[in-house]
Amino acid sequence: MKIEKIYALGLLLVTMSSAAQVFSDVDPDWKESDAPTPPAFSQSRLIPIDMPPYFSLQFGVDPQTISITADGIVRYVMVASNASGSLNAMFEGLRCATGEVKTYARASANAQWSIVQNPEWQSLRGKQSSRHALAFARQGACEGRTTRSSTDAIVKSLKNPRPDIYQQ
C-alpha cells in the first residue's frame, strides 16, 4: 500500500512537471522584434473573421497588413465595425507559440493611429482575452502553436474557413 502511494505521488509529480513544460514559454531567451509603424488599411479589402452569433460587432482583417516576423509574430490590422457604421482598428501582434496577443496601436474611422504606451502580451484565453484575436488565430494565423508558413497561407485559410472552426 505504501509503495502504491509513493508510485502515485511520483506519477503525479511527473505529470505536473510535463504539463508545466508544455505551458511554459517555448524559448526563455526569446526577444520580440521592434514593431513597425502601423500600416495603412482599407475597409474594402477586409476578410471577415467568423465570430459567435452573440457578437454584435463584425471583425475583418486587411490581408495587405499581415506580416510574419523572423521571431514568429503575426502582425496585422483587425477592424471592428457595427451596424451603425462605427469603425475601430487595432494593429496587433499574435504569438502562436504562446497563445498571446499584443495591441500596438488603435484607430477609429478617419483618425490617425494612437500608439499604445507599453503594450503587453495578453493570453488569448484569459479573463481579458481578445475573442477576435483568438478567432483569427484559429481561422488562419496559427496551426496549433505554430505560425502558418506564409502570409499567403494565412489569407488562403481565412478565405476558405472550415465549417467547425469556431469552438468555445
Side-chain angles (χ1 to χ4, degrees):
M1 176 101 163
K2 190 173 185 181
I3 293 175
E4 291 170 343
K5 287 182 180 180
I6 292 172
Y7 176 76
L9 181 60
L11 185 60
L12 178 65
L13 290 173
V14 167
T15 303
M16 289 173 57
S17 173
S18 296
Q21 287 177 346
V22 168
F23 292 110
S24 68
D25 198 352
V26 179
D27 179 2
D29 297 326
W30 179 84
K31 182 167 171 46
E32 179 182 6
S33 59
D34 291 336
T37 302
F41 66 93
S42 172
Q43 270 189 279
S44 65
R45 293 189 301 248
L46 296 180
I47 300 172
I49 302 296
D50 292 331
M51 298 298 289
Y54 55 84
F55 268 71
S56 59
L57 294 175
Q58 296 177 341
F59 291 88
V61 64
D62 182 340
Q64 291 187 10
T65 66
I66 299 172
S67 66
I68 302 172
T69 65
D71 55 356
I73 299 172
V74 178
R75 292 195 174 118
Y76 56 92
V77 172
M78 181 69 67
V79 177
S81 59
N82 64 20
S84 67
S86 294
L87 178 136
N88 288 297
M90 289 91 40
F91 177 47
E92 297 179 325
L94 180 64
R95 190 168 179 217
C96 300
T98 58
E100 295 175 302
V101 65
K102 181 188 278 191
T103 302
Y104 302 104
R106 293 184 175 88
S108 55
N110 302 318
Q112 292 186 353
W113 286 106
S114 173
I115 305 298
V116 174
Q117 297 301 316
N118 302 314
E120 294 188 18
W121 290 104
Q122 302 289 323
S123 172
L124 289 173
R125 298 191 182 274
K127 286 184 179 181
Q128 302 296 325
S129 69
S130 185
R131 293 284 186 199
H132 67 272
L134 177 60
F136 176 60
R138 287 180 171 167
Q139 293 172 35
C142 305
E143 291 181 292
R145 290 186 166 262
T146 305
T147 303
R148 288 214 186 260
S149 60
S150 68
T151 57
D152 288 341
I154 293 172
V155 171
K156 182 178 179 183
S157 184
L158 290 172
K159 288 184 175 181
N160 301 295
R162 293 189 343 236
D164 63 336
I165 199 72
Y166 198 87
Q167 301 170 12
Q168 297 239 344

